[in-house]
Amino acid sequence: MAELHALYPEPAIRASGWLEVGAGHSLYWKRLGTAGGIPALILHGGPGGGHSADEPRMFDPGRYDILTFVQRGWGKSTPFAS
């Protein structure tokens, strides 16, 4: 059985913001890792699925350009719980 790799260090946020998706809703997003690196998209787990702040740490920030966003109505996305 293969040994699990330890998580990488927490990458710095390169950019973040809100994406307007209509009807008064905005999705919070952030970019981490290396600009121009291997693209990696982290998707929210859906209603009740949540996500972990450690998910970006699964990718080597020196090799990957990581984009993550928060599902509508959750976390920093607005409006909250709507």
Side-chain angles (χ1 to χ4, degrees):
M1 182 171 200
E3 186 174 323
L4 294 176
H5 186 279
L7 294 175
Y8 291 97
E10 185 171 340
I13 297 173
R14 292 191 351 253
S16 65
W18 284 264
L19 174 65
E20 299 293 327
V21 294
H25 292 265
S26 300
L27 297 179
Y28 176 73
W29 61 268
K30 60 185 175 182
R31 295 287 294 269
L32 312 123
T34 300
I38 301 166
L41 174 63
I42 299 175
L43 302 173
H44 190 280
H51 62 88
S52 166
D54 284 336
E55 287 173 344
R57 295 182 59 209
M58 294 179 197
F59 298 90
D60 179 351
R63 296 185 62 209
Y64 288 88
D65 183 355
I66 306 161
L67 174 63
T68 184
F69 68 92
V70 179
Q71 177 179 303
R72 185 174 68 170
W74 183 258
K76 290 185 178 181
S77 292
T78 60
F80 180 73
S82 178

